[in-house]
């Protein structure tokens, strides 16, 4: 069962799903696939396939999933999308006073995206999916405000949008007249959010807030890389660079080893996903293009390592296997102000030494 189907089932039962995982594990891609399946009633367009002798691929066809979910049976389904950031406000999600532009000036009550999604879900035979990217990059607690408890699956309205004994109400400004009214969420509103646990630049989310979500973890998927680059993972790590396949093989093995060590040094949530090798494509199938591609990918890998172990030259040096005969990195002990300091140095990483660097990392015992 793929991630898309699992998440749709979780959304159907829990209403709120939080997609978590290391950077590059495909959170944005999965959210897009869930949105597509939600709109298409659980189906997904398969990739067009070519029929020999014809000039163009045959049209893509919908692939049924066999899902029997109430939300996918609604005649009217709509996806709402937003991204949290430092300037996100409660009024952007629910309602609030904003200036009225134009010659007349004045103020109006804004209808935020969570409010609009819920109002759509309240309509007859309708369902709404709200997608929130970068949930932990903005002030999530302030943005949701009094609706934090009300989003829980057992605190929603009945299917006909009447109050249930356990329905949780909270106050908002009514966009129609500005008066404070009690408000609750429809059971046909589904919220899918994503966050990057490894982002050291943002604070962790409140535990009470996290309890309102069903978490779903994405892990680095190396099989995707081996398949995408046509590499047989059962073959030994190449010791010489003879083909483009050798470059891709040693690079993917190096990513696996790097993540293995990151799990030990920082934790599994700080790994780097397969997206580091999928965000761009090699120019062609030549070995020179493969080496250039691998060099560019390394800059992203190393930036991630530096962020995780900022100021810790010894740990960074260990990860890149500094002082290995193959590695362009060197860890030196230098004297400064009465103390001995470990300093990591390196020549430029380019197509001339990138294969050896990946081999130094991938071929180490530990």
């Amino acid at each position: 069962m793929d991630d898309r189907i699992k998440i749709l089932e979780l959304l159907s039962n829990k209403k709120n799903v939080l997609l978590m995982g290391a950077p590059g594990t495909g959170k944005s891609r999965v959210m897009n696939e869930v949105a597509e399946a939600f709109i298409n009633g659980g189906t997904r367009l398969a990739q067009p396939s070519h029929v020999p002798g014809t000039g163009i691929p045959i049209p893509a066809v919908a692939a049924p999933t066999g899902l029997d979910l109430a939300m996918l049976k609604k005649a009217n389904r709509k996806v709402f999308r937003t991204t949290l950031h430092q300037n996100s406000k409660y009024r952007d999600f629910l309602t609030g006073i904003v200036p009225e532009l134009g010659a007349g000036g004045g103020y109006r009550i804004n209808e935020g995206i969570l409010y609009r999604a819920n109002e759509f879900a309240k309509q007859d035979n309708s369902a709404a999916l709200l997608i929130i990217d970068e949930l932990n990059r903005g002030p999530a607690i302030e943005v949701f405000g009094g609706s934090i408890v009300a989003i829980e699956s057992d605190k929603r309205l009945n299917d006909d949008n009447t109050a249930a004994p356990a329905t949780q109400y909270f106050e908002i400004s009514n966009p129609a007249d500005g008066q404070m009214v009690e408000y609750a969420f429809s059971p046909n509103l589904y919220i899918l959010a994503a966050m990057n646990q490894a982002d050291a630049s943002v604070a962790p989310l409140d535990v009470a807030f996290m309890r309102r979500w069903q978490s779903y973890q994405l892990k680095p998927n190396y099989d995707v890389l081996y398949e995408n680059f046509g590499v047989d993972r059962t073959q030994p790590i190449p010791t010489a660079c003879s083909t483009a396949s050798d470059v891709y093989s040693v690079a993917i093995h190096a990513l696996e080893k790097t993540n293995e060590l990151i799990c030990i040094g920082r934790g599994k949530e700080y790994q780097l996903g397969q997206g580091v090798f999928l965000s761009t494509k090699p120019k062609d199938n030549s070995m020179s293009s493969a080496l250039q591609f691998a060099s560019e990918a390394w800059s992203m890998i190393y930036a991630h390592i530096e962020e995780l172990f900022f100021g810790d030259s010894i740990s960074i040096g260990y990860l890149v296997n500094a002082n290995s005969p193959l590695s362009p990195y060197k860890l030196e002990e230098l004297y400064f102000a009465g103390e001995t300091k470990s300093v990591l140095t390196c020549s430029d990483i380019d197509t001339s030494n990138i294969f050896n660097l990946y081999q130094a990392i991938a071929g180490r015992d530990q």
Side-chain angles (χ1 to χ4, degrees):
M1 186 184 297
D2 63 27
D3 295 317
R4 170 183 56 110
I5 297 176
K6 292 178 183 177
I7 292 171
L8 283 171
E9 291 180 336
L10 286 175
L11 282 169
S12 179
N13 294 326
K14 303 297 185 179
K15 308 298 183 185
N16 315 306
V17 174
L18 180 55
L19 197 56
M20 308 168 76
T25 48
K27 295 184 290 296
S28 296
R29 174 187 57 80
V30 169
M31 286 196 296
N32 287 334
E33 289 183 351
V34 171
E36 180 187 29
F38 180 80
I39 292 298
N40 294 331
T43 62
R44 177 171 59 179
L45 292 180
Q47 292 295 323
S49 57
H50 184 70
V51 177
T54 61
I56 58 174
I58 63 173
V61 294
T65 62
L67 289 176
D68 184 24
L69 303 178
M71 66 181 186
L72 300 180
K73 296 178 181 178
K74 299 293 183 181
N76 305 309
R77 298 183 300 276
K78 186 174 181 179
V79 175
F80 296 78
R81 300 175 188 266
T82 190
T83 300
L84 269 189
H85 51 83
Q86 292 179 342
N87 291 325
S88 296
K89 301 286 193 301
Y90 177 83
R91 68 190 184 192
D92 301 324
F93 261 59
L94 284 154
T95 65
I97 299 174
V98 296
E100 183 75 61
L101 300 179
Y107 296 89
R108 63 180 175 84
I109 304 297
N110 184 59
E111 296 183 358
I113 192 165
L114 177 55
Y115 177 86
R116 286 184 277 118
N118 189 54
E119 288 298 298
F120 183 89
K122 284 183 174 182
Q123 297 176 24
D124 184 50
N125 204 15
S126 298
L129 173 62
L130 172 60
I131 290 180
I132 307 172
D133 205 357
E134 302 285 0
L135 182 67
N136 60 331
R137 186 156 292 280
I141 308 302
E142 292 86 345
V143 161
F144 277 85
S147 70
I148 290 177
V149 177
I151 66 173
E152 294 183 41
S153 58
D154 61 344
K155 303 294 192 301
R156 306 288 187 95
L157 297 166
N158 287 317
D159 288 338
D160 60 357
N161 292 313
T162 59
T167 298
Q168 178 73 34
Y169 283 89
F170 60 99
E171 283 194 332
I172 65 168
S173 298
N174 188 353
D177 56 17
Q179 299 297 311
M180 298 300 293
V181 295
E182 288 191 327
Y183 196 69
F185 290 125
S186 167
N188 298 312
L189 169 69
Y190 305 92
I191 307 175
L192 175 60
M195 63 174 281
N196 177 7
Q197 293 172 277
D199 197 333
S201 62
V202 296
L205 290 175
D206 182 86
V207 175
F209 181 69
M210 293 284 285
R211 285 201 304 268
R212 271 73 191 189
W213 302 81
Q214 173 66 50
S215 62
Y216 187 86
Q217 193 85 29
L218 290 181
K219 301 176 182 178
N221 189 339
Y222 307 112
D223 289 337
V224 169
L225 294 178
Y226 285 109
E227 181 179 351
N228 186 76
F229 292 100
V231 176
D232 184 355
R233 72 177 305 165
T234 63
Q235 294 300 309
I237 299 172
T239 57
C241 184
S242 302
T243 65
S245 183
D246 292 335
V247 178
Y248 300 133
S249 177
V250 74
I252 299 169
H253 279 98
L255 177 63
E256 289 193 71
K257 175 58 70 172
T258 299
N259 279 337
E260 178 185 325
L261 296 177
I262 287 175
C263 286
I264 299 171
R266 286 299 305 271
K268 63 182 180 180
E269 65 270 24
Y270 292 97
Q271 298 177 84
L272 191 59
Q274 67 276 4
V276 69
F277 288 130
L278 297 176
S279 57
T280 59
K281 294 182 179 180
K283 293 180 180 179
D284 51 48
N285 297 324
S286 66
M287 190 170 70
S288 60
S289 290
L291 289 170
Q292 182 62 40
F293 173 81
S295 300
E296 294 169 355
W298 174 252
S299 64
M300 291 186 284
I301 295 173
Y302 188 72
H304 182 68
I305 293 173
E306 274 196 314
E307 181 181 9
L308 294 183
F309 298 94
F310 181 76
D312 186 356
S313 297
I314 295 177
S315 293
I316 297 175
Y318 183 73
L319 275 163
V320 300
N321 205 7
N323 294 337
S324 161
L326 294 171
S327 179
Y329 290 91
K330 303 301 174 187
L331 193 60
E332 302 180 39
E333 300 292 328
L334 301 179
Y335 186 79
F336 177 78
E339 296 181 354
T340 301
K341 301 286 187 179
S342 296
V343 179
L344 187 67
T345 61
C346 180
S347 56
D348 291 338
I349 304 297
D350 54 30
T351 56
S352 67
N353 56 17
I354 188 61
F355 182 87
N356 286 343
L357 170 58
Y358 280 130
Q359 189 185 19
I361 297 171
R364 68 193 299 170
D365 293 330
Q366 183 69 330

